[in-house]
């Protein structure tokens, strides 16, 4: 069994730890999975160190990664009472399509590292729960396999721009033909962030896994040069600029959503360039360390552009009970990063992802009701506590 | 002896711990009970894990539960000196009735879990100390037993609205006939908050205990379906709204106090709907996680409604030395949640609750004097420190 | 040897700990005493638990005691450069008398608990260093012994008002006759604060020690009733008010300094009542828990009364390098509580107190110079950093 | 082998620790050096305790030293996207000379303590990387040796003013003749800060090392008196004032840069006195404890003087990715203190310093690009996040 790049010594220690816990009566397979933390702990226990490190990584000192969660705890909600919440309608509309609740699967790479069926399992689970699944470019199943696994799922495709524009162009045409409903242009990776443990682990995909969408696309020679996260290094184009948004618009009729905006200035530029949506994201704190927490950036952005558009937090609330803000013609979704997807996958594949999404839905529904909101439209800025003693 | 739902392994460990402490010479029965923390530690030591977890629970990540205490530590008092505090009068009036000091027993469920005499012991202690005891709907003694145990006690009754309005109506008439002096309508439980340990422990009442007030009221079939905290699940009505306040007013001549308000908007609505009082409470952090600390919410609310009414903090200060704010025609009581009642019960039943109330009274009296206040009326907003370097 | 009220088990453990440290080569007598923390650790090591607990106590949860130090760390100094600090003059004037630097010995009780010569050792050390020693009413040497031990020392006397005014009157006349230069009227003890460990330890003076100034003054019968910190309980008068300031002024021509003021309102009242000085103090956090840190209160007060008087922080900076603020006709001294006195006593009696005062003087002188101040008069509010990013 | 002033017991423990780690398979020589923390840990492991303590020291309680790093974490960057960062130009100009990126080697003493070749190794590494090396007066190689080791390096000289002005004068003429390009007048050491561990360790240079630049300059008699950091105590002149800046200007045609400014008032005075640059620095927190973090002081200063000059943070960002602010005719460099130099030296001498500078350059380049800046000129205040929820 492939163990990532964990050293023998590390693996021995992990196995000893597992055996010890087992003797102590904590049988993971039997433990009740009550909240997402339980899935996270299960994954930490069962994934190889290199895989866990990859998924858990933040850039540099991980300040932004950690602040992504801490920032939620600095917010206070202002629950309203006596509002007849006997019916809790968590449905919302995103790019004109109804989904069951404002949480989807944000793009994450390499699902086969967590579960042998990889993105096909994720796709089936999201289809079953009726929400949006943003397929990562770096999937270890091809988009055709993913669509085949869950033909009726609602899907967006996460896109990078490559130095070789033909590669991007081909994948755009492929996913458009396969029925993907939107393109999520990720703009915060002109270069890959420095994730120390990945360097220490010399992280790379094991031999039996590939970035399948690009099978044969890049000319990779065996041992020919450095590989970076499954594709040849330096294939992403750091020269991308707003002009490339026009170029992308010329290629496709799909709506374009820009992911990776953290300032009001860039949100305004996105509006001016006619994109259909933005996703406020710091890439889970994996790119620039020192940037704002997602929810703090969202707060700045919705103040500026909420009359005409709407912020979408990326890797939002891992516990599903706090919700995106802002109102207007654009849709609103709180996309979930690994907590929502990969830990569930690591637990039980499709079933695990469904359990995770079900917990998030239950927690979102309960919190919405306890805050006095009957539906997503009633969630607004007055729900946030500003006054302090 | 019933041990709750603690596993064998957990209980073994607890017993080993107790034995170890005993060998080390810490004999709990002999330790001096100086402050409420001592009672809390005693209870943690002696209650079964499931019972302790139930009483100590907060919702989800327990942010609000923990902030309830931390928020007090962010406040600075401004003590005044040379004010002749030779006489410290801690008496106050609540709903027209004088009580010995502004701390009462807030509604808490299942006192028989902590002490075999349950709510009867609590009632006797509160009567002896001459303060207000808000009986929980979820008592494990019936209201008749409680009144019988302490016939001259001053009591309010905490009320939920059930889907079956007849159930609520019957209990209102029962407690009114028994001499309860007010109804405390709890409005922050349209659904029960998610308390993770209760789920893990599969918390339920042991076979020999019941929610006695509803004995035979709900048609419960043995093993027929989920039970939630002693009564069948889904019996609370999540559709309650301000209309139900009018309905409740039509049923009774008792004053109605709304418990669970956390915003000035809802405080104003309470005034408009003609209720006699409000209790500012986040249900001990057991319902919506992420809401404000009680004392922070109180601060917002008294600024708005203090001219006509008065905020009442729920599960207020566990050490009894900080006091409710706001002045006006309404009464002011700082109700105590578990710290004030259950830990005392767990220690020595009626005697334990009396000890706890006595400590709270002593601490309140001393702090009031050290702050330069001779009586409750002299406690006002100037006592709070705002300026910082 | 008297061990306070430590139990046998506790003492056994302490002795075992000392033996263990000794085997590990940490010989306290040999360790270098570089900063006040070293003295504090030595004292913690060598005093009996009951004595240490008494000196280290704060009231209740010790929030204010702890904040007294934390508050200093929230302040940022603004050092100035190139100001020719070749001469550092730390002298200042207090009540018209020059002292060597703005740190004195604040009143602390029971010095014989820390060193057999008690207050006589403290008096000699302060005389040698030429600063002010505020003798506590609760000294274990009599004022006559103290004056005899250091006849040329500069001394103030800390005073309480007793229910039996004659007691206060007599002591005032005694200290005036003995050449004490000011009376420090302590106003924050209408009742004693609740110090949990003192209650647990049933702290009282050992049989061979007395509050010598009151030997035979109060009629104490052996075992006749509770004793509180060396004198019969309830002898302090909680009715003291501003009127008593006038009464005290009528008894004496000594300047009167009020100790225990924490608000600008009371500082203004002090000015109106014609007292000669105030000491901003929260009694080391031993009285009301929840009050402001000394330095925060000082900041509020000097803004109000600095044109006419001057704040004096009590139990100020334990490291002697931050200094009192405010300017005007009144003197300015940063009095040191236990850190400055008792830990030094516990180390080596008079020599220990001198070492402590020397360290404080060195640190004060160095910090003053590094901040660009040549003398105490140049220390002003511009030295404090307000702007933050 | 010289071990500093570590006691036998301490050294035994250190050696035991090393052996233990070695058995556990952590071979430092083999570990990958991914970020500066890795070098710091290596140095902590391999330097003698006295040397490590000397390099790591802060004054007194080390508040300022620690805040220097914490302050960076309180800042949030505002990254911009889609700006074509395919070319990242990290070059900048300082005092008219181009350097490869805005990080240089700040003056640090005694490099031979870390590596036998000392400052010669540092000089070669900085020359190779093409940035500025500020040689410390307290180098353990002479300036002639340093220049000889790296004849084409770009160098400034860090200068103190001695009581004996001739000493300062001679060294100024020497370094001017040797081609040093600027004088960095350090003004925050009228007296040496109190670094507790140095006192405890009785830190001094081992017999085989000297402050070579002053070999024979001060008349030191063997064991004649206290030595302080390699030269006789009390040789630095605490009377230096702005007049000495004029004196220094009269001695040399080199630009004069004042190091140690922390307030806008002093920054303005520096401008008025016609110096060519300032370095905002708190001496790594080794002088006045309680002063502002470097980056906080910089923020105050650039607001005041940025139109005409520019702030330079000393011991800036140890991870090289945050950069000095302010724009104008003056140059901008983020000088690195020990993290940048000494840990690298301790690891592998010249090669270690080059590795460290390379990592800093890589991290700076990457962060600049991820923030949307193509070159140093594009880094400005808009990059900093001010708005918070």
């Amino acid at each position: 069994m492939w163990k990532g790049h964990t050293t023998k010594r590390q693996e021995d220690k992990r196995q000893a730890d597992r055996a010890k816990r087992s003797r102590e009566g904590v049988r993971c397979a039997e433990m009740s999975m009550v909240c997402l933390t339980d899935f996270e702990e299960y994954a930490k226990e069962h994934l190889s160190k290199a895989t866990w490190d990859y998924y858990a990584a933040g850039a540099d000192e991980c300040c932004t990664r950690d602040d992504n969660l801490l920032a939620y705890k600095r917010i206070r909600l202002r629950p309203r009472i006596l509002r007849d919440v006997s019916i809790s309608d968590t449905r919302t509309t995103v790019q004109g399509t109804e989904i069951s609740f404002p949480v989807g699967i944000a793009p994450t790479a390499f699902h086969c590292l967590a579960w042998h069926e990889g993105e096909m399992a994720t796709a089936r689970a999201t289809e079953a729960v009726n929400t949006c699944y943003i397929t990562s470019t770096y999937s270890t199943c091809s988009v055709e396999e993913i669509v085949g696994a869950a033909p009726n799922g609602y899907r967006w495709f996460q896109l990078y721009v490559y130095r070789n524009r033909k590669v991007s162009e081909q994948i755009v045409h492929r996913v458009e033909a396969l029925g993907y409903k939107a393109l999520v242009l990720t703009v915060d990776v002109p270069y890959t962030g420095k994730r120390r443990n990945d360097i220490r682990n010399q992280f790379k995909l094991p031999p039996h896994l590939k970035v399948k969408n690009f099978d044969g696309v890049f000319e990779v020679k065996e041992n020919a040069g450095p590989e970076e996260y499954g594709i040849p290094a330096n294939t992403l184009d750091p020269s991308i600029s707003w002009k490339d948004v026009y170029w992308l618009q010329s290629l496709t009729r799909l709506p374009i959503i820009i992911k990776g905006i953290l300032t009001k200035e860039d949100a305004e530029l996105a509006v001016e360039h006619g994109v259909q949506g933005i996703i406020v994201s710091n890439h889970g704190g994996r790119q620039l360390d020192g940037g704002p927490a997602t929810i703090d950036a969202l707060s700045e952005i919705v103040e500026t552009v909420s009359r005409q558009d709407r912020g979408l937090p990326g890797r939002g609330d891992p516990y599903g009970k706090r919700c995106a803000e802002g109102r207007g013609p654009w849709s609103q979704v709180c996309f979930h990063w690994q907590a929502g997807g990969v830990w569930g996958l690591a637990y039980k594949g499709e079933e695990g992802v469904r359990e995770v999404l079900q917990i998030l839905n239950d927690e979102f529904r309960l919190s919405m009701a306890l805050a006095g909101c009957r539906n997503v439209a009633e969630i607004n800025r007055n729900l946030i506590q500003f006054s302090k003693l």
Side-chain angles (χ1 to χ4, degrees), chain A residues 1 14 18 21 26-48 51-52 114-115 341-349 352 355-356:
Chain A
M1 187 191 162
R14 292 169 69 87
R18 276 174 223 161
R21 271 189 296 269
V26 181
R27 304 288 292 267
C28 283
E30 298 167 13
M31 75 193 235
S32 59
M33 306 304 268
V34 172
C35 59
L36 263 63
T37 313
D38 294 337
F39 289 83
E40 187 174 353
E41 284 174 13
Y42 182 95
K44 190 168 189 176
E45 177 74 12
H46 286 75
L47 296 176
S48 78
T51 297
W52 167 265
W115 187 258
V342 175
W343 310 144
L345 269 184
Y347 178 57
K348 278 191 189 170
E355 277 190 47
V356 160

Side-chain angles (χ1 to χ4, degrees), chain A residues 153-217:
Chain A
Y154 178 54
R155 268 180 291 271
W156 298 354
F157 186 76
Q158 178 263 336
L159 186 76
Y160 287 111
V161 173
Y162 296 95
R163 289 178 191 273
N164 181 349
R165 289 287 191 284
K166 285 287 170 204
V167 173
S168 299
E169 201 174 323
Q170 284 170 6
I171 192 78
V172 166
H173 293 321
R174 254 166 97 189
V175 300
E176 189 164 5
L178 281 164
Y180 275 84
K181 299 300 185 209
L183 295 174
V184 174
L185 180 65
T186 301
V187 296
D188 53 6
V189 192
Y191 304 95
T192 306
K194 184 171 180 179
R195 304 161 200 170
R196 295 176 183 176
N197 282 341
D198 285 353
I199 299 171
R200 293 194 176 98
N201 297 333
Q202 298 181 275
F203 176 81
K204 60 180 175 178
L205 283 181
H208 69 281
L209 295 184
K210 285 183 198 155
V211 175
K212 271 211 179 164
N213 291 323
F214 294 146
D215 205 10
V217 168

